[in-house]
Amino acid sequence: MSEPIIKVENLRKSFGDHEVLKKIDFEIRKGEVICIIGSSGSGKSTLLRCINHLEKPTSGEILFHNVAVKNTGHSLSEYRAKVGMVFQSFNLFNNMTVFDNCQSGTRKVLHLDKDECKSRAITHLKQVGMAPYIHAKPAQLSGGQKQRVAIARALCMNPEVLLFDEPTSALDPEMVGEVLNVMKKLAGEGLTMIIVTHEMEFARNVSTRTIFMDDGYVVEDDAPGNLFTNPKNPRTREFLKRYMES
Amino acid sequence: MGEWTILLTAAAPGAESGSVEWALFIAQKYAGMFLNATWTTLYVAVSGTMIGFLLGFLVGVINTSQVHPEDFLLKRIFSRILRAIVIVYVEVFRDTPMIVQGMIIYFGLRQSDVEIAPVAAGILVTVLNTGAYMGETVRAGINSVDKGQEEGALAMGMSHIKAMFYVILPQAFRNVIPEMGNTFVNNLKMTSVLNVIGVSELFLIAKTAGGSYYKYYESYLVIAAIYFVLCFVFNRLFGLLEKKLEGKSDYVLATEYLDNE
């Protein structure tokens, strides 16, 4: 088996007295698509934000190719450039067009030459079906379109891992599909991804591993086939039962 | 005074003449002085405000930068000191009148043997005053930009400074333009207090011109009209700038890529 790209070790995170993550351990290897499921407040998003240090871990380590990620400075920026993130609220830069959004990282962070930045932007905007909108500003797009642009922007950096933080939770129901389809396509192309989601069907069909989190613990970490049809832990069973009923 | 003003200059109005006639007479007789004073007023206000805006952005950025416990000790100490200086500066300049600041800076510098021209001192006072007020405005402008914008920038590997420069400040700038317009127009009018340190701007000239005929009311009417025109024009200019930065409300579909949908 290949070396893990990211390894989370003994990760704990507290906000004040409230411990949100309690000793989390897991790793992701090249080509894996991990979906993290669990009820709201179980710590899924916090875990994802800790992985790229948007939240500072209280204790424990994030290892990237077996090297601990530093809390600050240049090496953290370099690490973040290799680990992309797609947010629930898109976070496209409102002062830039779609085209400039997709070139912002390649230009200002990777310092690639202009032609390369442009061709990467076009390639990935085509990939998500947003190339005709290069001249639009984020405010002129629908939620689903914004999220597809955000995915293209992340892809332009050629990330080793792409993190998705509830990418469809802020979308109208009819737009969820277009974003999930793009993500499914990326999974098919072998992109390594960690996806926090409430879309159970998607997790079941697309992920190579599913992690169920509850109350700050990783309760179950298994292939989706096992986890969804034959959950070992009673808490997982109860969660899935509640989900299937609703 | 140009030749044309001499040609226009009639004899001084008589005792029975009204204020309007006197005002027009004074405006004509001292046209050259008023023009020079208008130029000085504009010069002090524009350069003082422009440099003050830059200072204000610097103050705003320093005030909104966060110190992380993970940062290097030296960096932490340095930014603490910088912030302390900025906080004291903003407080002092916002809590004292500009007219008093002018006196203290001008006479203070002179007393410590720094030969400073009144105009230079006037610009300095305007810069420091504008910087203090704009600093607060810019801070509010930066805080009004959605937190997710910075997170998006950090997550792709930008540093805080890069995120500020490329993503947050351009948006904050748009938010504070109306307030920048206010500050500039206010500065245009506030230059009048600089007469106390001998800057020959409009107010000082009106006092001089009015004094020679003992017609103060009429003389100040003249500069009131000049101030009004200046402020009116600049208010409109800032309105235009605001509109221009709003950008186009529509966009062109790049049809060459349409078949890829």
Side-chain angles (χ1 to χ4, degrees), chain B residues 69-232:
Chain B
E70 304 88 19
D71 290 336
F72 290 119
L73 185 67
L74 261 175
K75 191 181 165 192
R76 263 155 51 204
I77 293 172
F78 179 70
S79 43
R80 285 262 157 78
I81 293 173
L82 205 60
R83 278 185 85 160
I85 294 172
V86 163
I87 287 168
V88 171
Y89 154 65
V90 170
E91 199 64 45
V92 166
F93 274 83
R94 290 181 64 193
D95 297 356
T96 50
M98 185 161 154
I99 193 166
V100 177
Q101 293 161 14
M103 294 295 237
I104 289 176
I105 287 176
Y106 183 62
F107 290 110
L109 283 173
R110 297 226 132 194
Q111 229 167 65
S112 27
D113 288 330
V114 180
E115 277 301 317
I116 187 164
V119 170
I123 292 173
L124 183 61
V125 174
T126 312
V127 166
L128 291 173
N129 214 277
T130 309
Y133 277 96
M134 276 307 289
E136 287 300 287
T137 307
V138 171
R139 191 176 60 86
I142 288 172
N143 288 338
S144 72
V145 175
D146 176 35
K147 198 90 192 75
Q149 296 286 308
E150 183 175 7
E151 285 195 346
L154 293 180
M156 67 163 56
M158 286 194 195
S159 59
H160 173 74
I161 298 289
K162 274 189 188 172
M164 236 340 147
F165 200 73
Y166 296 121
V167 178
I168 299 164
L169 279 183
Q171 294 180 49
F173 181 73
R174 264 187 49 183
N175 292 345
V176 303
I177 284 185
E179 193 48 40
M180 281 169 81
N182 270 342
T183 305
F184 178 71
V185 166
N186 200 36
N187 278 348
L188 257 180
K189 293 179 289 183
M190 283 306 279
T191 51
S192 57
V193 305
L194 297 173
N195 78 88
V196 296
I197 56 170
V199 179
S200 39
E201 41 63 61
L202 283 167
F203 190 88
L204 188 73
I205 294 310
K207 207 156 63 175
T208 315
S212 47
Y213 287 92
Y214 217 68
K215 289 286 180 191
Y216 290 107
Y217 168 61
E218 290 77 2
S219 183
Y220 288 119
L221 270 185
V222 172
I223 62 162
I226 297 175
Y227 278 123
F228 182 85
V229 171
L230 290 181
C231 293
F232 188 86

Side-chain angles (χ1 to χ4, degrees), chain A residues 8-11 21-26 47 213 216 218:
Chain A
V8 177
E9 273 185 357
N10 278 322
L11 177 68
L21 296 177
K22 299 159 183 168
K23 198 179 163 338
I24 304 280
D25 287 283
F26 83 97
L47 169 59
M213 279 185 73
V218 169

Side-chain angles (χ1 to χ4, degrees), chain A residues 49 71-72 77 80 91-96 104-105 108-109 111 122 126 129 131-133 135-136 140 153 157, chain B residues 70-71 148-149 151-158 162 166-167 170-171 248-254 257 260-261:
Chain A
R49 291 167 61 82
N71 264 332
T72 178
S77 296
R80 281 171 170 164
N91 296 352
L92 289 178
F93 303 141
N94 294 325
N95 56 322
M96 300 179 194
S104 52
K108 314 296 185 203
V109 178
H111 305 290
I122 294 290
K126 278 182 180 168
Y133 299 90
H135 304 304
Q140 296 161 327
R153 180 176 75 174
M157 303 290 284
Chain B
E70 304 88 19
D71 290 336
Q149 296 286 308
E151 285 195 346
L154 293 180
M156 67 163 56
M158 286 194 195
K162 274 189 188 172
Y166 296 121
V167 178
Q171 294 180 49
K248 287 172 261 166
S249 59
D250 52 356
Y251 58 93
V252 186
L253 214 56
Y257 300 118
N260 293 298
E261 270 255 60

